Amino acid sequence: MSTSTVRSVGKSEPLSWSRTVERELVHRTSVAEVLLTDVRPTDTPHVFLAAASWPRAHATFPRDGSQRHSPLILVETLRQLGLYIPLRFYAVPEVFRAVITDLYFHLSPADELPARAGATEITCSARVSAVRRAPDESAVGLRLNVTFAACGVAFGQGGGGVRFLDGARFTALRARSAVDAVPARPPEGWYRPAAAQLTVNHPHDAVLALDQGELLVSPADPLHPFFFDHPTDHVPGMVLLEAARQAASYRSRGRLSRPLFGSLKASRFTELTPPARVLCTRHGSTCAFRILQGGTETACGTFSYT
């Protein structure tokens, strides 16, 4: 990724890192988990500039010794932008349910800066495309592509698609995509790998368990302050992504722990029970993963580590 300088916000005032945006517009309950501090339109249609504050040491995500931020901080910032921009600028009602269909991220390690004392000020350039609108002109779907920069140097990219559904449409979609899963076996034989084997800071950050050699999506803490900041009726996409990352780390004995590229595509909702399986196939420095529940694939993706 080439070095670039992020341009100014047209005629408006400079971006601010002084306070967070409204937590409701990024679907967070805890203000401490809100990363965005400012989002503004530019003179170019469908292009926005945003400010985000990345904490030096997020309790959930370990650093790899180089003092770099976790890739999932970038993904969480992308998720928050994918909610805030449509709700704030595309007339999406706050009561609508957001469904992320797919996402990707890409980091350039040569351009990454070490985490700074206190927090790192991140500038995001976001472009909205493929906007689909309802008859009342509110957006019901769009795609977002974002470039991430620190100190004027671009070091990462990310993007994805999101749909917005009213209560009736969301209920209908849940009914159509529900998995006919078999009952879960009793957890007596389950084993929780050690935190170091999953490359996490603390045992409560684990989202995997082992059952007769199979890796299962099974968060150690169902009230985890990051993964389950608010109630949910299905497994969040961030949990699936972290489960796949932990699976790659476990299967590779820690060799594959910090992906530089990642993608996730969700074809169905992953239900909270019974625990979904994580299949992880390594090809050199690349890992392909699948999430299966009741014999049905609910999500798939890829990580690359070089």
Side-chain angles (χ1 to χ4, degrees), residues 157-178:
Q157 294 177 337
V162 60
R163 299 173 62 189
F164 293 93
L165 307 172
D166 61 22
R169 289 187 175 90
F170 181 80
T171 300
L173 179 62
R174 288 291 279 121
R176 289 198 305 270
S177 66

Side-chain angles (χ1 to χ4, degrees), residues 2-296:
S2 61
T3 299
S4 63
T5 301
V6 178
R7 58 191 178 83
S8 62
V9 192
K11 300 177 182 178
S12 62
E13 297 180 0
L15 289 169
S16 172
W17 285 266
S18 296
R19 59 182 61 87
T20 63
V21 301
E22 303 94 317
R23 60 181 182 170
E24 295 82 4
L25 296 186
V26 294
H27 293 185
R28 280 297 187 184
T29 300
S30 172
V31 174
E33 297 296 345
V34 179
L35 302 178
L36 298 181
T37 61
D38 199 0
V39 182
R40 303 185 185 186
T42 69
D43 295 333
T44 304
H46 303 298
V47 175
F48 301 83
L49 284 188
S53 180
W54 289 1
R56 172 176 171 78
H58 192 287
T60 303
F61 303 121
R63 296 189 297 275
D64 59 0
S66 66
Q67 303 302 310
R68 295 176 296 183
H69 290 283
S70 165
L72 291 192
I73 291 291
L74 182 151
V75 177
E76 173 61 14
T77 307
L78 174 66
R79 186 195 72 84
Q80 293 188 16
L81 285 168
L83 296 171
Y84 186 89
I85 290 176
L87 290 170
R88 176 71 175 79
F89 300 105
Y90 286 84
V92 175
E94 289 187 37
V95 296
F96 275 29
R97 299 290 294 269
V99 178
I100 296 175
T101 58
D102 63 284
L103 62 84
Y104 78 91
F105 68 88
H106 179 210
L107 288 165
S108 175
D111 296 320
E112 285 186 87
L113 295 178
R116 298 188 165 215
T120 303
E121 294 183 351
I122 304 297
T123 304
C124 313
S125 177
R127 179 178 294 274
V128 173
S129 63
V131 180
R132 293 184 292 109
R133 297 186 182 274
D136 63 0
E137 291 302 310
S138 64
V140 296
L142 54 79
R143 296 197 64 80
L144 186 70
N145 288 282
V146 183
T147 298
F148 297 84
C151 298
V153 178
F155 64 87
Q157 294 177 337
V162 60
R163 299 173 62 189
F164 293 93
L165 307 172
D166 61 22
R169 289 187 175 90
F170 181 80
T171 300
L173 179 62
R174 288 291 279 121
R176 289 198 305 270
S177 66
V179 174
D180 294 326
V182 297
R185 288 196 296 268
E188 286 81 3
W190 291 11
Y191 164 72
R192 182 84 63 186
Q197 292 179 292
L198 303 176
T199 325
V200 296
N201 287 329
H202 190 276
H204 84 124
D205 296 326
V207 295
L208 289 181
L210 273 171
D211 180 20
Q212 300 181 13
E214 290 188 343
L215 290 172
L216 305 178
V217 180
S218 176
D221 183 0
L223 297 177
H224 193 281
F226 177 81
F227 294 122
F228 297 101
D229 170 78
H230 53 277
T232 178
D233 66 351
H234 60 278
V235 181
M238 189 66 74
V239 174
L240 298 179
L241 197 66
E242 174 63 4
R245 189 202 67 79
Q246 291 183 17
S249 180
Y250 180 80
R251 294 300 190 196
S252 68
R253 298 186 177 183
R255 295 182 181 87
L256 305 180
S257 61
R258 186 181 190 270
L260 299 179
F261 170 85
S263 66
L264 173 72
K265 182 176 182 179
S267 53
R268 292 174 176 266
F269 289 94
T270 302
E271 306 298 340
L272 295 171
T273 58
R277 298 166 57 205
V278 184
L279 303 183
C280 193
T281 305
R282 180 180 176 184
H283 303 281
S285 61
T286 299
C287 179
F289 63 87
R290 300 172 66 205
I291 309 294
L292 300 176
Q293 194 166 47
T296 301

